[in-house]
Amino acid sequence: MQKVLIEGGYPLRGVIRVSGAKNAVLKLMAAALLGKGSFVIHDVPQIKDVFTMIGVLSALGVEARFENSVLTLNIDQIHGEAPTELVREMRASIQVMGPLLARLGRVRIAKPGGCAIGDRPIDLHLKNLERLGAVIDERHGYITAHCSRLIGQEISLDFPSVGATENIMMAATLAKGRTVIHNAAREPEIVDVQNFLNQMGAKISGAGTSEIVIEGVPEDHIGNAEYTVIPDRIEAGTYLIAAAMTRGKIKLENVIPQHIQVLLSKLEETNAHLSVGPNTIVIEGGRNIQPANIITLPYPGFATDLQPQFMSLVTLAQGSSVIKETIYSHRFGHVEELRRMGADIQLDSNSAVVRGVKQLSGASVRAMDLRAGAALVIAGLAAHGTTEIAGVEHIMRGYEKMIGKLQAVGAKIIQVDGESD
Ligand code: EPZ
């Protein structure tokens, strides 16, 4: 069992380059399944989830090569039987459903289960794939779907789900006629999927707005593409918050500031000083951290994937902050662990009231999921004494070389083999 040990109290100082976005690249990899050819993706992060997705694609018949952040997928004949163990390991595997169905007319995939942050159903994916013409059968923990050519439709999402928007976009790429997705998710990762699909030969417009138009094309229009994934806005936000909480000063490179606009203004509210360039951000933490309220919302609102990290920051504020989580039903796994470190947090359903304390103390804590783990790392960097974090495998799913990047900006952090527990 791997653990992370942090000796807190050292301000972060230096430069961090942000890696390619996990939540974009996983979908680009799935999108490649729509065509035959060679698909080259640059700036792919070396993280567990990418390796899991490579496993899923390989099991479907794709030849994958991953060297120096460049992922090459050579795709010819594939089949529609997704590998159960890998799909269960990573929910994002469900994104292969739309492309496989559209290209092969058949897919069988294990139903993703619940996870540490909430139930996370996929009803919106299934309902709208059915609307495009799929016949779907759910039994014994598996989803089997088949269709002849999908037919373009007007689709209105009940909620702007990121994954459902992407699955429908990919499926509709090969449909007959035009599909319009109303109330689509507007996340930057959706724009990345659109741009990649268009490079492959798709005809999609509107991503980044709540109405996306997909003009279906025949399968032989889709082929080779070469593409660079966008920088990871959540990784960027995580390091900015860490700098603010340790009262350090760092420069982020390879960042798109517009993608984290709300976080930047919230950081200013907490008394951090920012200097924003076209692809860089310099942050200097203020000595006295001020409280700030947040409410998580679909993009462009405050990202739920930054809620736990921001909660860590305001545990040291001079006053009380209210943090409301509206995207997930159970994304407060970090609260109990932050309390162990001395934070004063009251939970009431989907809201947390955080009363700032003067200091956190190092403790033995556990990461329950990826972003909760990141929140604990940040808290450990700012705490007095040593923090030991178990459950590191969650963090490694989504942050490329986190330990090395933090060490390079002065953090006293190491990864060790812990006792098995
Ligand atoms: C993506 O998940 C991200 N994952 C998540 O990142 C992120 O938290 C989320 O979008 C919201 O921004 C990837 O991109 C791989 P949703 P996704 O469909 O697509 C409900 C991280 O830490 N819903 O927008 O699964 C759902 O239960 C993670 O990197 C339905 O009810 O998110 C949730 O409450 C975790 N029915 C809400 O919508 C559906 O059919 C948002 O889900 C689909 C979703």
Side-chain angles (χ1 to χ4, degrees):
M1 190 56 95
Q2 297 276 302
K3 296 196 175 187
V4 164
L5 286 183
I6 305 170
E7 194 192 328
Y10 296 88
L12 302 186
R13 292 196 186 283
V15 179
I16 295 180
R17 183 187 182 276
V18 177
S19 301
K22 165 180 91 81
N23 288 346
V25 79
L26 296 173
K27 323 308 171 57
L28 306 188
M29 294 168 73
L33 290 168
L34 281 165
K36 288 185 183 170
S38 172
F39 303 91
V40 183
I41 311 175
H42 295 269
D43 213 10
V44 176
Q46 292 186 40
I47 51 174
K48 176 88 184 329
D49 278 7
V50 164
F51 290 108
T52 306
M53 193 57 131
I54 289 176
V56 171
L57 298 188
S58 303
L60 293 168
V62 173
E63 189 194 304
R65 207 174 59 243
F66 187 21
E67 277 170 4
N68 302 325
S69 309
V70 181
L71 177 65
T72 306
L73 303 172
N74 288 310
I75 305 186
D76 185 15
Q77 298 299 324
I78 52 168
H79 62 82
E81 193 83 24
T84 301
E85 284 316 310
L86 292 173
V87 169
R88 292 218 168 108
E89 239 173 70
M90 187 181 70
R91 293 182 53 82
S93 317
I94 196 70
Q95 303 301 147
V96 303
M97 198 175 166
L100 289 175
L101 184 65
R103 172 158 164 205
L104 305 173
R106 187 179 186 284
V107 57
R108 182 171 182 269
I109 188 164
K111 229 175 140 173
C115 80
I117 57 178
D119 284 345
R120 305 184 73 185
I122 51 162
D123 55 313
L124 300 175
H125 300 235
L126 301 184
K127 180 166 102 177
N128 291 299
L129 289 174
E130 276 177 335
R131 204 169 150 72
L132 294 176
V135 177
I136 296 183
D137 184 40
E138 287 181 72
R139 65 176 84 174
H140 310 310
Y142 283 87
I143 300 164
T144 309
H146 64 91
C147 63
S148 42
R149 192 172 176 198
L150 296 169
I151 310 285
Q153 295 290 348
E154 296 282 321
I155 285 176
S156 290
L157 290 178
D158 304 352
F159 175 86
S161 152
V162 174
T165 301
E166 291 163 340
N167 240 334
I168 298 161
M169 276 167 81
M170 295 192 272
T173 290
L174 296 184
K176 186 167 187 302
R178 163 191 287 215
T179 297
V180 183
I181 309 176
H182 302 277
N183 197 26
R186 292 180 284 165
E187 273 69 3
E189 292 75 19
I190 308 269
V191 180
D192 224 31
V193 171
Q194 166 184 282
N195 294 344
F196 182 64
L197 285 168
N198 284 345
Q199 269 234 8
M200 291 170 63
K203 289 195 180 146
I204 308 179
S205 57
T209 75
S210 52
E211 191 173 294
I212 300 177
V213 181
I214 305 121
E215 302 284 353
V217 297
E219 192 191 323
D220 59 10
H221 280 223
I222 298 290
N224 303 344
E226 183 156 4
Y227 193 79
T228 300
V229 68
I230 50 168
D232 196 311
R233 65 194 166 100
I234 307 301
E235 187 199 16
T238 300
Y239 292 131
L240 290 175
I241 295 170
M245 192 167 180
T246 59
R247 283 94 162 173
K249 181 175 181 183
I250 63 165
K251 178 181 185 186
L252 286 188
E253 291 179 348
N254 191 41
V255 59
I256 301 179
Q258 302 92 285
H259 290 175
I260 44 173
Q261 206 54 59
V262 185
L263 172 71
L264 297 183
S265 55
K266 285 289 160 187
L267 284 168
E268 283 182 328
E269 222 176 294
T270 66
N271 200 24
H273 304 280
L274 295 166
S275 160
V276 177
N279 290 106
T280 57
I281 301 174
V282 177
I283 182 166
E284 184 166 9
R287 170 147 298 281
N288 299 317
I289 297 170
Q290 296 305 308
N293 303 331
I294 57 165
I295 169 163
T296 65
L297 288 170
Y299 190 86
F302 192 98
T304 173
D305 294 345
L306 287 168
Q307 177 264 107
Q309 301 90 313
F310 196 82
M311 188 184 294
S312 285
L313 172 62
V314 293
T315 60
L316 291 186
Q318 292 182 329
S320 295
S321 309
V322 179
I323 294 190
K324 190 166 177 190
E325 172 60 56
T326 74
I327 306 295
Y328 292 112
S329 53
H330 292 96
R331 199 169 215 178
F332 282 129
H334 45 291
V335 167
E336 193 50 46
E337 306 305 299
L338 288 172
R339 282 184 187 141
R340 282 180 209 281
M341 300 177 72
D344 179 351
I345 306 168
Q346 298 301 317
L347 263 187
D348 181 11
S349 158
N350 69 343
S351 289
V353 177
V354 186
R355 291 193 189 83
V357 293
K358 281 219 158 53
Q359 189 174 279
L360 296 182
S361 323
S364 189
V365 292
R366 173 172 291 276
M368 302 297 182
D369 69 85
L370 169 60
R371 308 304 174 187
L376 297 176
V377 169
I378 293 171
L381 292 172
H384 184 74
T386 303
T387 296
E388 181 184 285
I389 306 177
V392 174
E393 62 282 3
H394 291 297
I395 305 175
M396 298 315 154
R397 288 184 64 159
Y399 286 94
E400 185 178 46
K401 303 188 179 109
M402 182 191 243
I403 308 285
K405 285 187 181 188
L406 287 171
Q407 285 171 342
V409 292
K412 307 284 179 223
I413 179 169
I414 51 167
Q415 194 166 337
V416 292
D417 279 324
E419 298 288 302
S420 72
D421 47 6

